[in-house]
């Protein structure tokens, strides 16, 4: 049955009884800037507590309005309704929602600071003379290196593009660079998955036992540590592989 105010009824906030302003469903939806059907949907999803009942009329408080505004802010930040429901549940259990959001931000903030670069297809082809055909473009798109929008191409990383140009100009075919990149990406995915397992198993899963602000700081410190570990490990592996290649080359030269 409709809870909309009927003509001649006094506004909810002027009704006697209760503390603070109260809203009927239409008034609450108007104050929050959402359709009534959205408000009812939030109630069905348990995102919004039920109203106080006065006969057939449901009356909503300022707390309901604050909750609706919070949901709107979280949606604008990219949260799903299910994620918002979980955040609100944590809040109701006594946690500081800002601390919960701080953990979420620390976990999901982008790890890459790469700067993308956009150019025309002709400009891209000029960087790799004779090597940029439809097949190469299609493969680079499939590997996630570039995005094509009409005649414009955006490479995800200026640094990686410059490194690729250097390799190709040194004599490595572009197709071989793309193949190496594909293999490298698989290895990087495995390495990243290992770090995620370490963090979730030994840090995040103990969230109940941590102060959330402390957990946020811990996650923030882990980010550069993981990157340094990978960079240092790769540099050390390169030293080993280069020495091995030189020893092999010298061995061939001395026996020839």
């Amino acid at each position: 049955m409709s809870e909309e105010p009927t003509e001649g009824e006094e506004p909810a906030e002027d009704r006697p009884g209760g503390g603070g302003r109260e809203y009927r469903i239409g008034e609450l939806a108007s104050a929050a800037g959402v359709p009534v059907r959205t408000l009812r949907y939030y109630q069905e999803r348990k995102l919004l507590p039920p109203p106080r009942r006065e006969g057939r009329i449901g009356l909503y408080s300022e707390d309901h309005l604050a909750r609706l505004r919070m949901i709107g802010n979280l949606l604008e930040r990219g949260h799903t309704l299910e994620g918002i429901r979980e955040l609100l549940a944590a809040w109701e259990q006594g946690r500081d929602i800002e601390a919960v959001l701080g953990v979420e931000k620390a976990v999901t903030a982008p790890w890459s600071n790469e700067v993308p670069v956009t150019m025309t297809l002709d400009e891209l082809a000029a960087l790799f003379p004779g090597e940029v055909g439809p097949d190469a473009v299609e493969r680079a798109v499939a590997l996630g290196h570039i995005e094509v929008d009409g005649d414009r191409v955006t490479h995800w990383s200026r640094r990686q593009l410059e490194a690729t140009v250097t390799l190709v100009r040194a004599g490595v075919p572009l197709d071989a660079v793309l193949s190496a990149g594909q293999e490298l990406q698989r290895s990087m995915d495995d390495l990243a998955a290992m770090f995620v397992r370490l963090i979730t198993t030994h840090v995040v899963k103990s969230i109940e036992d941590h102060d959330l602000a402390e957990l946020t700081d811990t996650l923030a410190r882990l980010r550069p540590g993981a990157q340094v570990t990978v960079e240092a490990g790769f540099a050390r592996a390169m030293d080993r592989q280069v020495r091995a290649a030189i020893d092999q080359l010298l061995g061939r030269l001395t026996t020839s």
Side-chain angles (χ1 to χ4, degrees):
M1 185 175 295
S2 172
E3 295 175 353
E4 301 296 339
T6 58
E7 186 176 357
E9 285 189 323
E10 52 189 319
E13 63 268 30
D14 295 334
R15 295 164 68 91
R21 175 169 181 172
E22 291 186 309
Y23 305 81
R24 299 186 184 195
I25 191 169
E27 297 169 334
L28 179 66
S30 177
V34 299
V36 171
R37 63 179 179 275
T38 298
L39 193 154
R40 289 196 170 109
Y41 179 70
Y42 289 166
Q43 284 186 274
E44 292 171 4
R45 296 292 300 272
K46 309 300 182 183
L47 291 166
L48 196 68
R52 181 179 73 82
R53 288 286 172 183
E54 190 171 285
R56 295 186 296 109
I57 304 298
L59 297 176
Y60 299 83
S61 69
E62 293 284 357
D63 289 340
H64 287 92
L65 180 58
R67 174 73 68 98
L68 283 172
R69 287 172 174 164
M70 180 182 294
I71 292 171
N73 289 335
L74 291 172
L75 286 171
E76 289 179 359
R77 292 175 60 168
H79 290 268
T80 64
L81 286 178
E82 180 59 25
I84 293 172
R85 189 189 65 77
E86 293 176 357
L87 283 170
L88 293 175
W91 185 31
E92 289 168 351
Q93 291 169 10
R95 290 180 177 163
D96 181 349
I97 196 167
E98 288 300 324
V100 174
L101 289 172
V103 173
E104 182 265 348
K105 182 178 179 181
V107 172
T108 61
W111 285 65
S112 173
N113 295 317
E114 296 299 322
V115 178
V117 56
T118 300
M119 66 194 76
T120 66
L121 278 169
D122 288 342
E123 289 171 335
L124 179 66
L127 293 174
F128 308 98
E131 302 220 43
V132 179
D135 290 343
V137 171
E138 183 178 347
R139 188 176 184 193
V141 169
L143 291 173
H145 295 313
I146 62 174
E147 294 180 356
V148 179
D149 182 11
D151 189 48
R152 307 292 291 177
V153 179
T154 299
H155 193 289
W156 76 278
S157 167
R158 180 181 293 276
R159 290 197 308 167
Q160 191 190 58
L161 176 61
E162 291 172 350
T164 302
V165 170
T166 299
L167 285 169
V168 172
R169 289 181 179 174
V172 182
L174 179 59
D175 186 65
V177 175
L178 292 176
S179 294
Q182 184 173 14
E183 186 175 344
L184 179 63
Q185 187 58 60
R186 283 196 292 265
S187 298
M188 290 296 101
D189 285 342
D190 291 341
L191 187 59
M194 182 190 70
F195 271 108
V196 169
R197 285 195 301 271
L198 286 174
I199 293 171
T200 55
T201 300
H202 300 289
V203 180
V204 177
K205 87 165 188 178
S206 60
I207 189 171
E208 298 290 347
D209 303 319
H210 280 72
D211 175 81
L212 292 184
E214 178 184 350
L215 180 59
T216 301
D217 290 340
T218 300
L219 292 172
R221 289 196 303 272
L222 287 173
R223 293 169 63 87
Q227 290 172 308
V228 168
T229 298
V230 172
E231 291 173 4
F234 180 73
R236 189 178 184 188
M238 283 294 294
D239 286 339
R240 290 196 300 267
Q241 294 299 321
V242 169
R243 282 198 298 268
I246 291 175
D247 288 344
Q248 186 177 17
L249 177 60
L250 291 176
R252 288 204 303 267
L253 291 174
T254 58
T255 57
S256 61

